[in-house]
Amino acid sequence: MTRDSSGRLPVQTASLVPFAVVSAAYFAHIGFFNPYLPLWLKSIGQPLWAIGVLTAVQSITRVFMPYVWGWLGDVTGRPVFCMRIGAVAALSGCVGLWAYSVIATPTFIGLFVGLLCLFMPTSAIIPTSEALLTRALSRGDGGFDAGAYGRLRVWGSVGFLATVLGAGFLFDWLDMRAFMPVAALTLAAVVVSVFLLPNIEEKRSWSPDSLDSMLSFLNDPKLLWFFASVFFHVLSHMGVYLFLSLWLDANGYGKSAIGALWALGVGVEILVLYYQGPWLSRLSWTVWFMICAAVCAFRMGAIAVGVGSVLVLVIAQALHGLTFATHHTAVMAYITHAFPARMTGRGQALYAVIGYGISGVVGGFAGAAMSERWGLVSVFVACAGTSLIALLCAWRLHGAVIGRGASA
């Protein structure tokens, strides 16, 4: 499949369905793997500090690998081919880690290397897929079809919901020994999904001066405030992504209850993504950034002080529809608007690096240190604070956009 004269992919429903399949398979893997990785590590005897570091390995790879894969896609002009290589390599890494955990007593170093081999290849999949999809859904006037994006992206949430909920019951039944073999099955589904994508080939856009041109383009206060707001907003969510399961487990919640609370958040996320089209456009993207950050501060504080109340946790998890789904769509739209077509892939890579790479490393290491010294509750208190910083950055971004009379 090749691009039209505007640099956009031709928007045909049939051609976009495979992107929904990739999203469903990938996030089904994430829904199974990420929430329960800390519990698996705990079950094989890893201490709390090691769990914090090991769960941050994925974020460590996101600091550099999205740009590596983006560079490979530019050099080869075959981004989907790179996704396929990454998916196969990730499955191989998962099988290797499973074998290691069975035949040897897992050590911290061994687990770190094994997770590194698993996570480095998966960094190719979603940033590349999102870049291709959002370019296909961008309009000639610089707008973005948020409704169509939500209806396609929602299948990722459906996949996540199915596995995060089902895994809780699975582990209550079989215990955590089932973790690695089922993880391998979920990655096998990812491999199948990326081979269903159309074989998109692009004009090669990389040159030795690409980095200089990108840095020059990023020398814009609006983009700096945008990425600062993204960094602190996603950093706030690292408390949930990395430590919520441990926090609930420490307060007496069973694995099925933990899975149900995760599923609740994703269930609301699904509704928001599917129905967001008519109402999301009523406010500017920068206003949505501010609203989402304010709600995130409330959510993290509620998890910190209200963990003993099921009702409080239900409300906090229901807010995931705003703090993640709405925020993520707003970010996709802003990147599509702010970056020209030739740089959208690198804009997505920067989102992965800054939003889920650097923030994940900081969240994992800082969260592990804080939880060792002050307990897990301190992680969520800190996340409420970083949400307020995200709100401040979003407010500065909104001011910069309005001040220049540009579209937000």
Side-chain angles (χ1 to χ4, degrees):
M1 182 183 297
T2 58
R3 299 187 180 284
D4 62 22
S5 59
S6 67
R8 293 181 290 116
L9 296 171
V11 182
Q12 300 173 357
T13 302
S15 69
L16 297 182
V17 167
F19 289 99
V21 176
V22 170
S23 185
Y26 177 82
F27 285 104
H29 164 67
I30 293 298
F32 176 85
F33 200 89
N34 287 23
Y36 297 99
L37 175 61
L39 300 181
W40 178 68
L41 294 170
K42 180 182 177 183
S43 74
I44 60 175
Q46 295 300 304
L48 189 58
W49 70 265
I51 293 172
V53 174
L54 291 170
T55 51
V57 171
Q58 185 178 44
S59 298
I60 292 172
T61 63
R62 285 173 172 170
V63 171
F64 58 94
M65 286 308 300
Y67 235 92
V68 171
W69 286 109
W71 176 82
L72 286 173
D74 282 346
V75 169
T76 62
R78 302 174 67 188
V80 173
F81 176 76
C82 292
M83 291 171 64
R84 292 169 179 169
I85 295 295
V88 172
L91 175 59
S92 301
C94 184
V95 172
L97 181 59
W98 175 19
Y100 168 69
S101 68
V102 170
I103 65 178
T105 300
T107 64
F108 171 78
I109 296 298
L111 291 168
F112 188 95
V113 172
L115 288 170
L116 199 65
C117 293
L118 190 159
F119 288 133
M120 284 195 299
T122 58
S123 301
I125 298 168
I126 286 302
T128 304
S129 177
E130 293 276 50
L132 295 172
L133 177 58
T134 54
R135 272 180 273 177
L137 295 174
S138 63
R139 299 195 298 264
D141 60 357
F144 177 73
D145 192 340
Y149 174 79
R151 290 190 295 273
L152 290 163
R153 176 59 177 78
V154 73
W155 291 103
S157 302
V158 170
F160 188 99
L161 176 63
T163 53
V164 77
L165 185 58
F169 293 102
L170 175 69
F171 295 138
D172 275 340
W173 177 40
L174 293 178
D175 76 37
M176 296 305 297
R177 287 177 294 181
F179 179 76
M180 286 307 302
V182 179
L185 288 176
T186 61
L187 276 173
V190 174
V191 171
V192 172
S193 73
V194 297
F195 276 89
L196 295 177
L197 285 172
N199 190 28
I200 297 170
E201 295 189 6
E202 303 180 303
K203 181 180 179 181
R204 302 180 186 186
S205 61
W206 182 86
S207 63
D209 63 348
S210 291
L211 180 58
D212 289 338
S213 63
M214 188 64 171
L215 291 175
S216 176
F217 178 75
L218 290 173
N219 189 24
D220 180 340
K222 295 195 299 297
L223 283 176
L224 296 178
W225 284 119
F226 165 69
F227 280 116
S229 72
V230 165
F231 170 76
F232 285 107
H233 189 91
V234 181
L235 177 62
S236 304
H237 281 71
M238 289 303 159
V240 172
Y241 297 152
L242 302 180
F243 297 98
L244 179 61
S245 295
L246 291 172
W247 180 228
L248 296 175
D249 181 69
N251 282 274
Y253 291 86
K255 293 179 179 64
S256 57
I258 294 171
L261 284 167
W262 274 91
L264 170 65
V266 181
V268 176
E269 172 189 319
I270 289 171
L271 293 175
V272 170
L273 284 170
Y274 193 82
Y275 292 106
Q276 68 186 4
W279 52 266
L280 202 59
S281 60
R282 295 179 182 178
L283 298 172
S284 69
W285 304 122
T286 53
V287 170
W288 281 119
F289 292 152
M290 291 188 286
I291 292 172
C292 293
V295 173
C296 188
F298 173 81
R299 180 189 181 192
M300 298 304 161
I303 293 173
V305 303
V307 69
S309 168
V310 174
L311 177 60
V312 171
L313 290 175
V314 166
I315 293 172
Q317 286 299 90
L319 293 175
H320 192 67
L322 267 175
T323 67
F324 170 74
T326 300
H327 182 265
H328 178 73
T329 301
V331 168
M332 293 295 103
Y334 196 88
I335 289 175
T336 304
H337 165 75
F339 286 82
R342 71 183 188 280
M343 291 184 176
T344 306
R346 281 168 283 181
Q348 290 287 347
L350 280 174
Y351 174 46
V353 168
I354 296 171
Y356 290 91
I358 299 172
S359 66
V361 173
V362 173
F365 283 89
M370 292 171 60
S371 59
E372 284 281 350
R373 182 163 185 176
W374 298 301
L376 285 164
V377 65
S378 65
V379 174
F380 295 96
V381 173
C383 288
T386 54
S387 298
L388 295 176
I389 298 175
L391 173 59
L392 174 62
C393 294
W395 175 70
R396 293 298 302 270
L397 167 63
H398 181 73
V401 168
I402 297 301
R404 295 193 181 191
S407 171

